[in-house]
């Protein structure tokens, strides 16, 4: 009996696949045997990549490495690893969608702040337009509603803090407004 392993199988088995906003696509591999297979597959593929050997923060003795393979031109792997290429494309599209949503949310808040608003008014807008929609997409949200609500209030605070740090808004007399 002959068993053939594909590069797709090697990279997709027990891995974390993601991309960043610059479209660098990475695969994180968590075991040494799979890493050896990945190195072998990459030699045959002859594509450009970098590999970083990393360790969890709590691994002070550096006994449990994991490897992150980053492809800066994921188009190179399309012919060798069509399933991995598809996973990268899905990650890129997901990141793009999330970035667009964040920009839309930022624009909505800045437009809303043309008139000075309190934290509660801003949070209520975000709750109505974003947070409630996100919560309902999680199974079992009813049990953790209070936890989600506290988290969402922290998200609102953090967002407003970023806007203040970026010089887009100011806080005066307990109201936020455009600079």
């Amino acid at each position: 009996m002959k068993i053939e392993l594909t590069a797709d199988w090697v990279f997709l088995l027990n891995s974390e696949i993601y991309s960043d906003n610059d479209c660098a696509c990475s695969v994180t591999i968590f075991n040494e045997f799979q890493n050896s297979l990945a190195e072998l597959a990459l030699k045959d593929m002859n594509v450009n990549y970098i590999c970083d050997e990393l360790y969890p923060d709590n691994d002070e003795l550096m006994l449990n490495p994991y490897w992150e393979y980053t492809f800066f031109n994921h188009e190179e792997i399309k012919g060798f690893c069509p399933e991995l290429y598809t996973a990268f494309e899905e990650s890129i599209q997901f990141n793009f969608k999330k970035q667009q949503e964040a920009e839309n949310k930022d624009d909505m808040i800045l437009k809303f702040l043309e008139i000075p608003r309190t934290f509660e008014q801003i949070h209520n807008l975000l709750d109505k337009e974003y947070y409630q929609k996100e919560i309902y997409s999680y199974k079992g949200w009813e049990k953790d509603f209070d936890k989600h609500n506290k988290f969402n209030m922290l998200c609102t605070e953090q967002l407003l803090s970023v806007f203040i740090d970026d010089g887009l808004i100011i806080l005066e007399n307990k109201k936020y407004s455009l600079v």
Side-chain angles (χ1 to χ4, degrees):
M1 171 159 81
K2 182 178 178 183
I3 298 174
E4 291 186 29
L5 304 178
T6 66
D8 268 330
W9 181 84
V10 168
F11 284 111
L12 294 172
L13 176 72
N14 194 30
S15 300
E16 182 181 330
I17 296 168
Y18 55 95
S19 64
D20 65 20
N21 291 337
D22 295 331
C23 294
C25 299
S26 301
V27 179
T28 302
I29 294 178
F30 298 101
N31 75 51
E32 201 164 332
F33 176 69
Q34 187 180 353
N35 183 56
S36 298
L37 293 175
E39 290 288 336
L40 185 61
L42 285 164
K43 283 180 187 173
D44 285 346
M45 291 167 53
N46 193 28
V47 296
N48 293 313
Y49 69 95
I50 60 170
C51 178
D52 292 316
E53 185 173 287
L54 305 168
Y55 295 87
D57 291 338
N58 61 355
D59 188 3
E60 295 173 8
L61 299 177
M62 301 177 86
L63 298 174
N64 299 301
Y66 62 96
W67 297 267
E68 182 179 80
Y69 290 90
T70 303
F71 303 88
F72 292 98
N73 181 6
H74 71 287
E75 293 290 329
E76 289 182 331
I77 66 163
K78 190 174 186 177
F80 300 105
C81 298
E83 291 175 40
L84 180 60
Y85 174 82
T86 299
F88 283 153
E89 282 294 309
E90 289 170 358
S91 178
I92 290 168
Q93 291 304 314
F94 176 79
N95 287 345
F96 179 75
K97 180 182 172 191
K98 286 296 182 191
Q99 185 174 350
Q100 288 298 114
E101 288 174 2
E103 288 172 9
N104 291 342
K105 179 171 45 173
D106 292 354
D107 291 345
M108 179 191 68
I109 292 169
L110 293 173
K111 185 168 174 52
F112 187 65
L113 291 177
E114 289 175 353
I115 300 170
R117 309 286 181 156
T118 65
F119 175 84
E120 290 76 20
Q121 289 171 317
I122 299 165
H123 180 70
N124 289 340
L125 174 70
L126 288 171
D127 189 49
K128 178 181 160 199
E129 296 294 325
Y130 288 95
Y131 302 146
Q132 286 183 10
K133 294 173 185 172
E134 291 174 0
I135 286 175
Y136 295 127
S137 68
Y138 295 111
K139 191 175 183 172
W141 67 270
E142 302 92 345
K143 294 181 223 166
D144 291 331
F145 182 76
D146 287 337
K147 199 183 295 183
H148 282 290
N149 197 34
K150 288 176 186 172
F151 176 76
N152 292 339
M153 289 191 78
L154 289 173
C155 290
T156 300
E157 287 176 16
Q158 182 181 11
L159 182 61
L160 293 173
S161 177
V162 168
F163 284 164
I164 289 171
D165 291 346
D166 289 347
L168 299 172
I169 66 172
I170 57 172
L171 174 61
E172 291 181 331
N173 300 324
K174 297 185 180 184
K175 289 194 175 188
Y176 295 87
S177 60
L178 296 175
V179 173

